[in-house]
Structure formats: structure tokens, C-alpha cells
């Protein structure tokens, strides 16, 4: 049997390897070669090693939607549950660590997760994760202590707190990045989110040798200044949120962005211009037939649309400009219409 010093040396060596991998992933990320999720996977390995657990999961608290979402969960795909659910939710609600080696006897234990994951939870440790202001933003959970003994509520909490602290900084940065790429009023992605997506999920579609399809719809609200003048800026905000909701519903699973002011942009991967034009027409009719209710008022609006099929030999800005020119044509020729092709002169 290995002595305590040998075990400690092995754990320390494992931690050094994990930290080296983290360092490498972060530097690779700067050159665009790294994998964002790989960083979280290394954090998970760190926590797992520190407390000798079978599995760990790292949770983000989505306070807007009142959900708990795994940033990483070993052995399973992403898990989403209500913010107060399970021992993770209880730990966040009570703002303290939870350690149990008899989880099924604990208030708040959620056995349905074991059913979903086909896993037998025998011991659990959960630590709240905080940002630099001391606000709880997530949780680090370790499951099933390896060996005969269960988690130690003093020593193991002390060890996992190292990983929880580092994860807190990483998660805070991730949340800050996510927030910077979303419009606060409509919750849609903004231009920063658009350009981030262009560099990641849409990069291949913009390569000439990939034969990928990508269509662009750009649209804006007709006579929006009149809406603001008539109903005030709060009324205008209500209209923007109304439009954002309809666009999200009508274009799922495609990406919608608030391009600026009353203008919105939609990217449709793997779809051609005909598909984009048909979908834009459907959205146009839905908007025209809808009513935005603001206080005691009912506000009716219309929208104009320009569509383009992205050409990989052009930059994304040049492709957006083509769709924008067609939007301008729609505005100049009567509004409340879709223009998907240039007029032949």
C-alpha cells in the first residue's frame, strides 16, 4: 500500500499537469486554436483530483431565466434545472457548502438526475462559487468520493475551495463576455455577439472551399421615430422587445441580432436566398398582423426586409452591405416588403 507521502506527491504531480494544460489551453485560445470548453474541462479535472471524486460538475446560475446550467458535467451532456432544485440549488439558497455521504436522506436531493444520467450518487459535496464582489454566480459539485470513506466536511471543503475560487474567476469572465455580447433591452445578441459568431460557428460557411450556405436577413421597423414621438421612448422600447420576441420565435433555431437602433439581423446557416426570402415574408406578415400592447395603448407596426446569400469571396461586412442595400430598396419603394434580389435595370 502506498504511504501518505507517495499519495500526496502523486496528487501534487497531477495538479501540476492540469495547471500546465490550463496554461496551454489559454494561450492556444489567444491564437484562435484553443477550445473554450477545454478550459472548463481542466478546471473540472482539478476539482476532481483535489478531492479524489469520481465525477464533478461546474454550474452557472442563470438568474435571468432562474435556471442552473452546467458549464461542464463529467459523464453527461448539459443539465438544466430550476434554480432552487437539487443540492446545488439548496447550497446556493443557503449560501454555504453542503457535504453529505447519505444524499438520499438530504432535503433537496433530486433522484431524477440519477435516473436521467444512469448514475448512482452515493456522496455529494457542493460549494457556492462567487465573483470578485462576493456575489454567488454558480457552484462546484463533487460526486462520489473514491475509496471507502466519504467526503470530509473540513478537509475536502478546504481542498475543493481552491478549484471553486479559480472557477469563480473563470466563470465571472465568461459571464462578463456573454453579457457584453447581448443587448440588455431585447436580450438578443448584439454586434459583438455577431462578430464572435462569425469567427466561430459561421467561419466554415464563409470559406470558398467549403461550399457552405449562409443567408442574411436585415430588417428594421418602419417609421420607428413616429412610434417614439407618439408613445415616448418607453413605448419604443416595448415595440423593440415585441419585435425581438417575434423574430426569435419565427427564426428558431437561427441566430438573431439587434444590429442597432430599430434594426435587426438574422443569420441562417445552410439555407439559400429563396428560403431566407420566404421566411422574411412570413415574419413580415406576422409583424403586420400583431399588436404590441403598451400600457393602455395598442401599437401597430410594419417592417421592411433585405435578404442576401453570403458569397465566400466577400467579407462578412460586404455581404451584410448587400442585404442592407436591399433593405434600403425596400424602404425606398414603399416599405413593409421584402427585397431579396437586385432589380434588373
Amino acid at each position: 500500500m502506498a504511504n501518505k507521502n507517495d499519495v500526496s506527491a502523486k496528487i501534487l504531480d497531477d495538479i501540476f499537469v492540469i495547471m500546465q494544460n490550463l496554461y496551454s489551453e489559454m494561450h492556444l485560445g489567444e491564437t484562435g486554436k484553443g477550445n473554450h470548453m477545454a478550459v472548463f474541462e481542466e478546471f473540472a479535472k482539478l476539482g476532481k483530483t483535489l478531492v479524489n471524486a469520481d465525477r464533478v460538475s461546474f454550474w452557472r446560475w442563470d438568474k435571468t431565466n432562474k435556471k442552473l446550467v452546467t458549464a461542464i458535467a463529467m459523464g453527461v451532456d448539459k443539465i438544466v434545472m430550476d434554480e432552487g432544485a437539487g443540492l446545488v440549488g439548496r447550497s446556493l439558497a443557503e449560501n454555504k457548502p453542503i457535504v453529505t455521504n447519505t444524499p438520499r436522506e438530504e432535503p433537496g436531493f433530486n433522484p431524477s438526475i440519477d435516473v436521467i444520467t444512469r448514475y448512482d450518487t452515493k456522496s455529494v459535496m457542493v460549494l457556492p462559487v462567487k465573483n470578485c464582489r462576493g456575489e454567488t454566480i454558480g457552484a462546484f459539485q463533487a460526486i462520489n468520493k473514491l475509496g471507502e470513506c466519504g467526503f470530509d466536511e473540513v478537509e475536502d471543503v478546504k481542498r475543493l475551495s481552491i478549484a471553486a475560487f479559480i472557477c469563480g474567476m473563470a466563470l465571472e469572465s465568461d459571464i462578463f463576455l456573454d453579457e457584453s455580447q447581448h443587448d440588455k433591452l431585447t436580450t438578443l445578441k448584439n454586434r459583438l455577439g455577431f462578430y464572435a459568431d462569425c469567427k466561430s460557428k459561421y467561419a466554415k460557411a464563409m470559406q470558398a472551399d467549403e461550399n457552405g450556405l449562409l443567408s442574411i436577413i436585415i430588417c428594421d421597423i418602419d417609421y420607428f421615430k413616429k412610434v417614439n414621438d407618439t408613445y415616448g421612448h418607453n413605448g419604443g422600447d416595448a415595440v423593440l422587445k415585441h419585435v425581438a420576441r417575434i423574430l426569435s420565435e419565427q427564426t428558431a433555431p437561427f441566430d438573431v441580432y439587434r444590429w442597432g437602433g430599430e434594426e435587426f439581423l438574422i443569420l441562417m446557416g445552410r439555407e439559400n436566398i429563396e428560403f431566407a426570402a420566404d421566411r422574411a415574408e412570413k415574419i413580415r406578415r406576422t409583424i403586420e398582423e400583431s399588436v404590441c400592447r403598451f400600457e393602455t395603448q395598442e401599437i401597430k407596426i410594419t417592417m421592411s426586409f433585405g435578404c442576401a446569400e453570403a458569397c465566400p469571396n466577400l467579407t462578412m461586412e460586404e455581404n451584410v452591405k448587400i442585404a442592407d442595400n436591399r433593405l434600403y430598396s425596400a424602404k425606398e419603394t414603399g416599405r413593409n416588403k421584402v427585397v431579396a434580389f437586385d432589380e434588373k435595370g
Side-chain angles (χ1 to χ4, degrees):
M1 180 180 292
N3 62 42
K4 187 174 181 180
N5 288 338
D6 290 339
V7 173
S8 297
K10 176 65 168 60
I11 292 174
L12 188 60
D13 188 57
D14 288 344
I15 291 171
F16 285 150
V17 171
I18 291 167
M19 296 309 291
Q20 178 62 42
N21 289 340
L22 269 171
Y23 181 81
S24 298
E25 283 294 342
M26 288 177 176
H27 278 262
L28 284 171
E30 290 177 2
T31 61
K33 298 178 182 177
N35 180 354
H36 173 74
M37 289 307 299
V39 173
F40 284 111
E41 287 171 2
E42 293 299 329
F43 284 136
K45 290 177 186 176
L46 177 62
K48 181 178 184 291
T49 300
L50 285 166
V51 297
N52 195 28
D54 181 48
R55 289 185 178 184
V56 297
S57 54
F58 182 31
W59 296 78
R60 173 177 173 175
W61 187 3
D62 182 353
K63 298 181 181 179
T64 302
N65 297 308
K66 302 184 184 300
K67 297 290 182 181
L68 295 171
V69 183
T70 50
I72 192 74
M74 286 185 170
V76 296
D77 293 329
K78 184 170 72 172
I79 302 172
V80 180
M81 61 186 186
D82 293 336
E83 62 182 356
L87 294 181
V88 173
R90 180 181 151 198
S91 176
L92 296 183
E94 297 178 0
N95 194 30
K96 67 178 185 182
I98 290 178
V99 180
T100 176
N101 296 308
T102 55
R104 297 179 188 281
E105 299 175 11
E106 288 290 326
F109 178 73
N110 187 359
S112 65
I113 298 296
D114 275 9
V115 175
I116 295 170
T117 61
R118 298 180 181 179
Y119 190 73
D120 183 16
T121 301
K122 299 176 181 178
S123 54
V124 179
M125 178 167 55
V126 186
L127 268 66
V129 169
K130 299 180 181 294
N131 61 19
C132 64
R133 297 180 297 279
E135 300 165 339
T136 303
I137 56 176
F140 206 134
Q141 178 178 239
I143 305 173
N144 288 0
K145 176 83 170 185
L146 297 175
E148 295 181 1
C149 60
F151 290 116
D152 186 292
E153 59 184 314
V154 176
E155 288 302 316
D156 283 328
V157 167
K158 185 192 304 182
R159 290 185 175 194
L160 193 62
S161 66
I162 298 171
F165 175 75
I166 298 172
C167 282
M169 292 189 292
L171 185 56
E172 182 174 23
S173 297
D174 197 54
I175 291 171
F176 178 78
L177 177 63
D178 186 63
E179 289 178 347
S180 72
Q181 294 179 356
H182 283 79
D183 172 55
K184 291 186 182 300
L185 177 67
T186 63
T187 73
L188 297 176
K189 289 182 182 180
N190 56 22
R191 285 203 188 199
L192 284 177
F194 168 81
Y195 286 113
D197 285 350
C198 289
K199 290 180 180 179
S200 55
K201 65 192 296 186
Y202 294 111
K204 283 191 174 183
M206 291 304 295
Q207 294 175 7
D209 58 347
E210 288 293 331
N211 295 318
L213 278 175
L214 177 66
S215 289
I216 303 164
I217 300 173
I218 191 163
C219 54
D220 79 358
I221 302 169
D222 297 329
Y223 302 110
F224 185 69
K225 183 179 183 301
K226 184 177 180 181
V227 172
N228 279 329
D229 291 343
T230 304
Y231 303 101
H233 287 287
N234 288 340
D237 286 349
V239 168
L240 290 170
K241 289 190 283 187
H242 171 75
V243 167
R245 177 183 59 79
I246 292 176
L247 290 177
S248 296
E249 292 172 352
Q250 294 286 323
T251 60
F254 303 112
D255 289 304
V256 186
Y257 308 85
R258 185 177 178 191
W259 197 237
E262 69 271 28
E263 202 166 45
F264 300 84
L265 185 144
I266 303 158
L267 289 180
M268 295 184 161
R270 301 180 181 176
E271 300 296 349
N272 60 25
I273 186 68
E274 287 79 11
F275 179 93
D278 287 345
R279 185 61 61 91
E281 177 58 26
K282 181 180 178 182
I283 297 168
R284 186 200 65 76
R285 291 196 304 268
T286 301
I287 292 288
E288 184 179 33
E289 294 166 2
S290 71
V291 175
C292 174
R293 291 177 173 79
F294 169 66
E295 296 178 348
T296 60
Q297 306 289 327
E298 292 188 348
I299 306 174
K300 295 283 290 181
I301 57 166
T302 60
M303 294 186 72
S304 300
F305 298 78
C307 306
E309 188 174 304
C311 173
N313 295 320
L314 302 177
T315 66
M316 181 58 82
E317 288 80 4
E318 289 170 334
N319 281 300
V320 169
K321 182 64 176 176
I322 293 171
D324 196 42
N325 287 340
R326 290 170 183 168
L327 169 62
Y328 180 79
S329 176
K331 304 288 277 189
E332 288 294 298
T333 57
R335 293 181 168 84
N336 189 25
K337 63 190 296 187
V338 175
V339 174
F341 300 95
D342 296 328
E343 291 185 7
K344 295 180 180 180

